[in-house]
Amino acid sequence: MSKKPNILLVYTGGTIGMIKDYKTNALKAFDFSQILEKIPELEQLNCVIKSISFDVPIDSSNMNTLYYKDIVSIIEDNYHDFDGFVILTGSDTMSYTSSAISFMIENLQKPIIFTGSQLPIGDLRTDAKENLITSIEIASARKEGKPIISEVCLYFEYKLYRANRTTKINAEQFEAFASMNYPNLAESGVYLNFRDHYIYKPSEERKELIIRKNLVTDILILKLFPGITEKVVKSILNTVDLKGVILESYGAGNAPDEVWFLNLLKEAISKDIRIINVTQCSGGNVIQGHYETSIELKQIGVVSGKDITTESAVAKLMYLLSENLTLDKFTYYFEKPLRGEISDK
Ligand code: ASP
């Protein structure tokens, strides 16, 4: 008989780990070391579950790159002893965090599934149990002795997504996430249906796990809007120590073609600030040069974010800046998929 998969549950914080104190009606953090006692359904899963929790669980609005490093260190320290990882975080910044973890770990051969919930695990109408139980099932799922998933994913409300393709789209509905530019990897109904064709397949050759903990955080997001002034853009691009900018442009990557605007971007690029063009639209692609209003962006060295999400672009920018690449190399790596986060076209 084959041995049961070992799954490590990592609780960082967020609504999922809260229970209601029925005497006071207040939500309070749940002691994760007691998870098996509190959710006896977990005993029925065909895996061995261990859990670990942040000493002080956080609301995901307080997430930052130091916590990313803590999550990656937990995975690194336990990588050989576990077959899969389920990371519980608040949903508010889950797409940012899971995207970053996807870049911080290279040659991953095991599933890392992020999940959380809109209602606390102790609430009568909670979505937490389904999200948690199915995430553990996905992290344990194997075919011909190999894990079905070997990438960083996000599971929420019956759908499994590639994490670095997701965006939080709703603060109230259980269906809180969307992956506009890449299909779901699995859907859970009566059966758990994996969509093999879209799931990342690691190379047969066993490549060593590479962990990167160095991220550059001197970056910002500049969202365009009609009426944005020269004064504002100038002051943003002159931020002390600025290394990279995610430029949220319009439609297919269009921006004002006014001279002052292009000159400010040019000046920033000449100071080695990397500028990435992503669209404000929730779906679709940046195609620099498709309209007149984006031809010059390409010519002055703005990098195309193609169909990447803003969340994933932030993570990829933090990672690639830490590699100290020339503009040509940086552009080459940014515009090509490293973890399936961007389409290869
Ligand atoms: N504010 C919470 C958080 O992101 C919401 C949630 O858990 O979904 O930590």
Side-chain angles (χ1 to χ4, degrees):
M1 227 175 65
S2 64
K3 79 173 195 26
K4 289 184 178 183
N6 288 320
I7 303 300
L8 185 64
L9 206 57
V10 183
Y11 178 59
T12 70
T15 305
I16 191 166
M18 308 226 154
I19 47 168
K20 198 173 247 171
D21 181 329
Y22 286 101
K23 286 194 195 112
T24 63
N25 241 359
L27 289 175
K28 58 178 191 193
F30 171 97
D31 176 359
F32 250 75
S33 60
Q34 296 171 2
I35 187 147
L36 289 178
E37 285 160 43
K38 290 269 187 272
I39 311 174
E41 294 94 321
L42 294 179
E43 296 278 10
Q44 292 173 40
L45 292 170
N46 194 26
C47 58
V48 179
I49 303 168
K50 293 239 161 71
S51 72
I52 208 170
S53 169
F54 272 13
D55 292 341
V56 182
I58 56 162
D59 184 289
S60 81
S61 310
N62 284 319
M63 189 52 84
N64 60 40
T65 55
L66 295 176
Y67 291 121
Y68 292 175
K69 288 181 205 171
D70 290 342
I71 296 172
V72 164
S73 298
I74 292 174
I75 295 171
E76 184 180 26
D77 294 346
N78 292 284
Y79 192 73
H80 292 289
D81 297 331
F82 288 86
D83 302 292
F85 301 85
V86 174
I87 317 290
L88 305 174
T89 75
S91 60
D92 289 350
T93 58
M94 195 185 290
S95 293
Y96 290 94
T97 305
S98 54
S99 296
I101 303 300
S102 81
F103 293 109
M104 293 167 84
I105 305 182
E106 197 175 330
N107 299 333
L108 183 66
Q109 306 258 3
K110 299 183 179 185
I112 299 180
I113 316 294
F114 277 77
T115 195
S117 66
Q118 295 281 55
L119 285 176
I121 207 148
D123 199 286
L124 268 186
R125 292 176 51 253
T126 190
D127 52 332
K129 280 195 186 173
E130 201 288 317
N131 286 348
L132 176 61
I133 290 169
T134 308
S135 295
I136 297 174
E137 270 196 49
I138 291 169
S140 328
R142 300 177 81 77
K143 198 172 165 188
E144 288 154 16
K146 292 196 184 121
I148 294 183
I149 299 292
S150 38
E151 55 180 306
V152 182
C153 292
L154 188 155
Y155 181 81
F156 228 87
E157 190 61 3
Y158 303 105
K159 294 201 181 94
L160 181 73
Y161 310 97
R162 174 167 296 155
N164 57 31
R165 290 290 196 156
T166 62
T167 302
K168 183 167 180 185
I169 49 147
N170 203 302
E172 289 178 6
Q173 287 176 3
F174 287 151
E175 185 150 354
F177 290 88
S179 168
M180 294 296 289
N181 287 332
Y182 198 76
N184 310 329
L185 304 184
E187 280 199 37
S188 153
V190 172
Y191 302 104
L192 193 51
N193 280 324
F194 288 98
R195 304 170 80 191
D196 270 356
H197 180 64
Y198 300 117
I199 295 172
Y200 168 76
K201 315 266 173 331
S203 75
E204 283 297 315
E205 145 198 23
R206 280 221 158 243
K207 293 198 188 139
E208 207 186 313
L209 188 76
I210 301 171
I211 303 281
R212 294 198 178 79
K213 293 186 190 163
N214 206 3
L215 297 173
V216 173
T217 50
D218 294 311
I219 67 167
L220 55 82
I221 299 172
L222 169 53
K223 182 168 185 161
L224 295 181
F225 55 91
I228 193 167
T229 62
E230 178 171 5
K231 205 167 55 185
V232 163
V233 177
K234 191 173 190 170
S235 120
I236 287 174
L237 294 179
N238 280 301
T239 301
V240 182
D241 290 335
L242 186 64
K243 302 282 182 324
V245 176
I246 306 293
L247 176 69
E248 275 202 359
S249 62
Y250 308 121
N254 307 314
D257 55 6
E258 287 174 74
V259 176
W260 67 262
F261 181 73
L262 292 166
N263 280 346
L264 286 176
L265 294 188
K266 246 192 254 173
E267 195 187 307
I269 293 168
S270 73
K271 289 193 284 185
D272 265 344
I273 295 172
R274 305 285 182 247
I275 301 184
I276 321 297
N277 186 359
V278 304
T279 174
Q280 294 179 12
C281 297
S282 25
N285 244 284
V286 162
I287 310 170
Q288 296 194 129
H290 188 54
Y291 287 88
E292 237 176 17
T293 42
S294 66
I295 290 181
E296 276 215 54
L297 296 179
K298 188 173 178 174
Q299 287 164 356
I300 64 176
V302 172
V303 178
S304 172
K306 298 181 177 179
D307 63 351
I308 200 167
T309 59
T310 295
E311 293 86 336
S312 202
V314 165
K316 192 169 185 177
L317 180 57
M318 286 180 173
Y319 156 49
L320 285 182
L321 283 173
S322 74
E323 299 284 299
N324 284 319
L325 304 166
T326 60
L327 180 57
D328 278 356
K329 282 239 164 75
F330 179 94
T331 306
Y332 171 78
Y333 284 113
F334 204 99
E335 293 183 355
K336 100 184 190 112
L338 300 179
R339 308 282 189 274
E341 74 287 356
I342 202 169
S343 296
D344 200 7
K345 54 182 177 194

